[in-house]
Amino acid sequence: MNNFESFPNRKGTRSMKWDLVKDMFGSEDIQPMWVADMDLEIADPIKKALVQRIEHGIFGYTLTDEQLDKVIQQWLIKQHDWEIDADWIIYSPGVIPTIHMTILTQTDPGDKILIQTPVYHPFQQMIKTHQRELVTNPLIYQNGRYTIDFVDLEEKFKQGVKALLFCSPHNPVGRVWTETELTKILALAEKYNVLIISDEIHADLVYEPAKHIPIGSLDSLIRDKVISCFSPTKTFNLAGLQVSYAVIPDKKLRTEILAVFAKYGLNALNTLGIIALEAAYQAGDEWLADLIQLLQQNYQLVKNTFADCDQIDVIQPEGTYLIWLDCRKMNLSQGDLVKFMNEEAKVGLNNGLTFGEEGRGFMRLNIASPTAYVKEGVDKIIAALNRT
């Protein structure tokens, strides 16, 4: 069993989560539970592989190779029952850069790109940055669960959407899409000739009985127009090492995307990121199993803590370590809700409105920390509610 109860001091390490607390929330005494990284040490096999590489002492230009391709192929088969050709893999410093490059190469200014709100906020920013038209297909929230509005999705596709920027598993609502849902999306994308850019960075963080199915793994006539983006960084807490990959069956798409990576000088990976990816996928299984157990325990704690609270509803996640809190019964404006969390509860969460208008009245809570730390945070929220 891994030790997930020790709490490394992250202050002063240039940690975005910890060293930006005052800038983000206005005070140093805020407990950060926002940005999506973990307050947990990485798996020992990854740490040992990194130390061994560091002791080598030379960090020149580093290649990806057939051995690394094979490690990824084996991981996708083992985790997601997806057998891919090595030629389909391209490497990138991150999922976000891959999406940027795909938007640049596969769409033109003014083209419509669709997202399913409330959704990971950089999606909106990327679309607007490249002067594409943002189209939203709001998810349906009913009885504590989110589903896709397929009637609205088809209507939007009919209006000339060029690409779907898809989040699977979904951040922040925690849905793990079913095969039926994914098949419907593929059918509509085929019918209206829509490119699918699928962010699957949370693919390995799924709770039974849910099972992540890569949308690109399903049989479809449009399979070659699916770009599936993965990374070990969310799964194994490696975001600072900047390493990811995409699976792109279509050679023309791969070539065009790789060309623009090279154009902007982004055609080499972080040496230690490569080492970490390989070690994680080859020897991280036990750590990941223990992590999933911890996250389930932490979710249960959050659920139980808010069980008797009539002002905040906890949306049960099927995947990710992010909890979507429905705070609308507090009857506060979004500004006052954020102020309550910051100034009354002294807890720093993600503002739900940044995920789209459908996030108004919601907040996002990160539970990828030792259980005692999560308990401290949710207890602060309950205590603040009891004072008001």
Side-chain angles (χ1 to χ4, degrees), residues 227-284:
I227 296 168
S228 304
C229 304
F230 297 92
S231 174
T233 55
K234 281 289 182 285
T235 308
F236 293 100
N237 203 26
L238 304 169
L241 295 182
Q242 298 183 327
V243 59
S244 78
Y245 58 95
V247 178
I248 309 174
D250 184 74
K251 183 178 180 179
K252 181 174 180 290
L253 284 180
R254 286 198 311 273
T255 301
E256 290 172 351
I257 292 169
L258 284 171
V260 79
F261 268 113
K263 177 181 178 181
Y264 290 101
L266 294 172
N267 51 349
L269 291 186
N270 181 316
T271 301
L272 296 183
I274 294 171
I275 296 296
L277 185 157
E278 187 172 38
Y281 281 3
Q282 288 184 317

